[in-house]
């Protein structure tokens, strides 16, 4: 469908058209697979060329009349006349996001928005989930890939996000610029991986995400979430748990249901406290190491979260620190190496002011401390993130670098998460808790560890949750322009 100049009143119909086109393509692909399985019938090449299995395309055309309006917000901005387009998947899942982005564009610019077919086909593997009528027994994936569209690695790269996108217009045509950071095939790829790694469906992820590197934070989060569900005035409705468990107020024995779930088989289990209209919070136990941190952020980014925060443990590097103290990262020494090829280490990862202020304010509120009392427990400084779990064995080789960086703490995830937030335009922050001081000979013994966990984890988690409440109130102001490049796609 096409309208001359789009208004806010047109947006629901546009999103309905997106949904109808996507549903039709998925249905056609499923029926074609069923026909092939039943009798070996291949889909009509001419129909495929016409877009039978194509993702829908969302297009925004803008012709500036005079000076282009300027806005201070970080997204939903058009810097020049032209066409902007992207392929779209799962429009129901992204409806609220699309409605917000398009609403700002039509409010502030005279644009024409249309829905059509893209040139990218939906890979067959993404339509099998939920298609109970399709029995794939006895058929090989390679066989289906010869007949039906399959995943093409050239379609799922991060060239747009990484600034490597190159226009390839047809001769005589004005180039079409990207409308969003991720196109349909990349989004579908990550939605499937998210379910695999987290053990929960993509629909359950909330816009605010906490990462942790210790399972005891999970225990504390689950206990807090179940307490929330028991409150009669709680805004939350359910707790989605890794392993396919959904707990509601009506669940008879929620602790047992969660304990008996299949979360142990999941690499990075996720837990979502769900409220209406997308509200709530997600906690993900990413374990230890930068590889998992990079992996999960690669896939979470397609959901366009409002913020992600690292709430975990670290080694304290300063003699004045005490086990149980906090570290608020304002800079990162990136020794994780997992992103060096796409985001060189000389690129600075700036602190996000709104996140830093929210973390500090939350620490004040939850701890009940302020001024010098809080400063004795909360250090602001550089965090080293390393990919070497046994960095202590190379102390003489690392001590100079740590000293030069003025680092106050070391871990294996925080810089990776911050760098991924910077790369994918997701506001980020880090508040760590000192669990040991290896340079100074203070290493946790088993009994000490238990006492430390019992004392510190509950307060630390509550600071993270309070921070999210503060950030939620920030609204669109949270999304900083310092995360946006000079040739950014319009969509956040």
């Amino acid at each position: 469908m096409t309208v001359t100049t789009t208004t806010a009143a047109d947006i629901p119909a546009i999103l309905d058209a997106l949904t109808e086109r996507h549903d039709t393509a998925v249905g056609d692909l499923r029926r074609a697979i069923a026909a092939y399985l039943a009798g070996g019938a291949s889909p009509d090449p001419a129909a495929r060329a016409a877009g039978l299995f194509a993702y829908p395309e969302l297009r925004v055309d803008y012709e500036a009349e005079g000076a282009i309006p300027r806005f201070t917000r970080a997204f939903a901005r058009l810097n020049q006349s032209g066409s902007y387009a992207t392929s779209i998947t799962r429009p129901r899942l992204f409806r609220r996001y699309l409605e917000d982005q398009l609403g700002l564009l039509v409010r502030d610019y005279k644009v024409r928005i249309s829905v059509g077919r893209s040139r990218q086909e939906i890979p067959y593997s993404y339509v099998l989930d939920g298609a109970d009528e399709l029995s794939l027994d006895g058929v090989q994936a390679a066989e289906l890939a010869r007949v039906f569209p399959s995943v093409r690695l050239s379609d799922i790269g991060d060239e747009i996000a990484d600034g490597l996108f190159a226009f390839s217009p047809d001769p005589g045509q004005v180039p079409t610029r990207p409308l969003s950071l991720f196109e349909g095939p990349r989004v579908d790829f990550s939605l499937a991986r998210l379910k695999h790694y987290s053990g929960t469906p993509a629909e359950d992820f909330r816009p605010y995400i906490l990462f942790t590197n210790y399972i005891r934070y999970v225990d504390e989060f689950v206990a807090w979430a179940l307490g929330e569900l028991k409150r009669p005035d709680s805004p939350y409705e359910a707790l989605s748990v890794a392993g396919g468990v959904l707990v509601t107020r009506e669940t008879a024995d929620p602790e047992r249901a969660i304990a008996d779930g299949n979360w142990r088989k999941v690499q990075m289990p996720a837990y979502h406290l769900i409220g209406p209209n997308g509200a709530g919070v997600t906690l993900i136990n990413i374990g230890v190491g930068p590889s998992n941190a990079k992996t999960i952020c690669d896939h979470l980014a397609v959901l366009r979260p409002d913020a992600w925060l690292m709430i975990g443990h670290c080694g304290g590097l300063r003699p004045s620190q005490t086990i149980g103290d906090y570290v608020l990262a304002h800079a990162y020494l990136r020794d994780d190496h997992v992103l060096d090829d796409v985001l060189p280490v000389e690129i600075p990862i700036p602190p996000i002011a709104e996140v830093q202020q929210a973390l500090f304010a939350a620490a004040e509120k939850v701890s009940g401390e302020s001024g010098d009392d809080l400063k004795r427990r909360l250090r602001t400084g550089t965090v080293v993130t390393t990919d070497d779990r046994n960095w202590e064995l190379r102390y003489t080789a690392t001590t100079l670098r740590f000293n030069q960086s003025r680092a106050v703490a070391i871990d294996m995830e925080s810089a990776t998460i911050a760098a991924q937030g910077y790369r994918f335009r997701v506001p980020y922050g880090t508040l760590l808790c000192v669990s040991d001081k290896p340079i100074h000979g203070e290493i946790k013994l088993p009994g000490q560890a238990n006492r430390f966990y019992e004392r510190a984890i509950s307060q630390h988690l509550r600071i993270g949750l309070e921070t999210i409440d503060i950030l939620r109130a920030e609204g669109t102001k949270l999304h900083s322009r310092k995360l946006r490049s000079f040739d950014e796609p319009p969509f956040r």
Side-chain angles (χ1 to χ4, degrees):
M1 62 174 293
T2 305
V3 291
T4 304
T5 299
T6 305
T7 68
D10 300 316
I11 292 177
I14 290 169
L15 298 180
D16 289 345
L18 268 180
T19 302
E20 181 183 0
R21 280 192 178 273
H22 184 264
D23 288 351
T24 298
V26 169
D28 288 340
L29 183 50
R30 285 175 173 171
R31 283 187 290 274
I33 295 171
Y36 178 80
L37 295 174
S42 297
D44 178 23
R48 280 188 65 176
L52 180 66
F53 305 143
Y55 285 101
E57 179 185 80
L58 182 62
R59 180 174 292 267
V60 174
D61 291 300
Y62 174 56
E63 186 173 344
E65 299 176 359
I68 296 177
R70 298 176 61 189
F71 301 97
T72 58
R73 64 173 178 256
F75 56 90
R77 296 166 59 180
L78 299 173
N79 297 320
Q80 55 188 307
S81 297
S83 294
Y84 302 80
T86 188
S87 54
I88 298 289
T89 191
R90 304 282 294 276
R92 284 190 179 85
L93 174 61
F94 292 99
R95 187 176 182 104
R96 189 178 300 108
Y97 167 80
L98 293 169
E99 192 170 33
D100 290 343
Q101 304 304 299
L102 294 177
L104 290 169
L105 290 177
V106 302
R107 187 191 72 185
D108 296 326
Y109 303 92
K110 291 183 178 180
V111 296
R112 298 184 304 277
I113 301 176
S114 59
V115 174
R117 288 189 177 94
S118 76
R119 297 181 179 181
Q120 297 168 321
E121 291 186 303
I122 303 173
Y124 79 89
S125 56
Y126 298 144
V127 307
L128 301 179
D129 194 19
D132 298 331
E133 72 277 9
L134 296 178
S135 176
L136 302 181
D137 294 341
V139 64
Q140 298 293 321
E143 179 184 349
L144 291 175
R146 285 194 295 269
V147 180
F148 298 99
S150 58
V151 177
R152 299 192 309 170
L153 297 185
S154 59
D155 285 341
I156 60 172
D158 285 324
E159 286 81 6
I160 299 174
D162 291 332
L164 302 174
F165 181 81
F167 297 120
S168 299
D170 294 332
Q173 290 188 347
V174 176
T176 297
R177 293 177 168 82
L179 182 61
S180 63
L181 291 175
F182 305 107
E183 296 186 303
R186 170 68 165 87
V187 175
D188 266 336
F189 176 79
S190 282
L191 295 181
R193 291 297 178 93
L194 271 180
K195 185 174 182 180
H196 169 76
Y197 286 120
S198 73
T200 56
E203 290 81 359
D204 291 348
F205 282 84
R206 303 292 96 180
Y208 295 90
I209 299 167
L210 295 175
F211 297 109
T212 189
N213 51 11
Y214 282 94
I215 194 170
R216 297 206 184 200
Y217 284 83
V218 173
D219 297 336
E220 191 69 29
F221 181 83
V222 168
W224 170 78
L226 293 180
E228 283 293 311
L229 290 179
K230 291 176 183 177
R231 287 200 302 114
D233 60 341
S234 174
Y236 302 110
E237 301 170 341
L239 175 65
S240 173
V241 176
V245 176
L246 185 69
V247 172
T248 67
R249 290 185 174 86
E250 287 70 43
T251 303
D253 190 351
E255 290 85 359
R256 173 60 66 86
I258 293 170
D260 291 347
N262 290 325
W263 60 269
R264 296 171 185 83
K265 298 181 180 180
V266 178
Q267 185 171 340
M268 289 177 276
Y271 303 80
H272 317 281
L273 186 58
I274 298 172
N277 301 318
V281 59
T282 287
L283 175 80
I284 307 174
N285 179 15
I286 60 175
V288 177
S291 180
N292 273 2
K294 176 188 181 299
T295 296
I296 199 67
C297 290
D298 281 338
H299 303 311
L300 287 169
V302 305
L303 296 176
R304 307 315 300 141
D306 283 312
W308 57 42
L309 308 175
M310 179 63 191
I311 306 292
H313 287 173
C314 66
L317 298 180
R318 296 301 179 96
S320 58
Q321 290 171 309
T322 300
I323 292 176
D325 284 355
Y326 297 120
V327 172
L328 174 57
H330 75 175
Y332 302 90
L333 177 60
R334 292 174 51 203
D335 277 346
D336 52 332
H337 302 301
V338 296
L339 290 167
D340 291 1
D341 290 340
V342 294
L343 191 66
V345 293
E346 63 266 21
I347 302 299
I349 307 300
I352 308 300
E354 293 82 0
V355 177
Q356 300 295 98
Q357 293 167 356
L359 283 165
F360 191 85
E364 281 188 313
K365 181 176 180 178
V366 173
S367 70
E369 300 172 344
S370 60
D372 290 339
D373 290 335
L374 181 59
K375 289 180 180 179
R376 275 192 287 270
R377 289 196 58 208
L378 190 152
R379 294 289 298 271
T380 300
T382 297
V383 171
V384 180
T385 293
T386 178
D387 61 354
D388 184 359
R389 180 60 186 86
N390 296 315
W391 62 269
E392 299 96 331
L393 302 179
R394 301 181 64 250
Y395 172 70
T396 55
T398 57
T399 182
L400 176 61
R401 186 166 169 79
F402 291 176
N403 267 332
Q404 289 176 329
S405 71
R406 308 300 191 263
V408 298
I410 184 168
D411 79 345
M412 299 187 69
E413 303 84 25
S414 293
T416 311
I417 289 169
Q420 286 283 69
Y422 177 85
R423 182 184 174 211
F424 292 130
R425 291 70 159 173
V426 178
Y428 50 84
T430 300
L431 183 71
L432 302 175
C433 191
V434 176
S435 62
D436 61 321
K437 295 171 60 182
I439 286 179
H440 308 286
E442 294 186 37
I443 300 175
K444 295 190 303 290
L445 299 175
Q448 293 173 321
N450 288 333
R451 288 192 294 273
F452 162 72
Y453 290 136
E454 291 170 1
R455 183 180 69 249
I457 288 177
S458 176
Q459 184 183 85
H460 193 190
L461 177 66
R462 285 187 288 118
I463 291 173
L465 295 168
E466 179 65 27
T467 301
I468 286 175
D469 286 342
I470 295 171
L471 293 178
R472 190 179 289 114
E474 288 280 341
T476 58
K477 293 186 294 182
L478 172 61
H479 297 278
S480 173
R481 283 181 290 173
K482 68 179 67 172
L483 296 180
R484 305 283 285 182
S485 64
F486 57 81
D487 54 353
E488 196 75 4
F491 279 6
R492 178 176 67 79

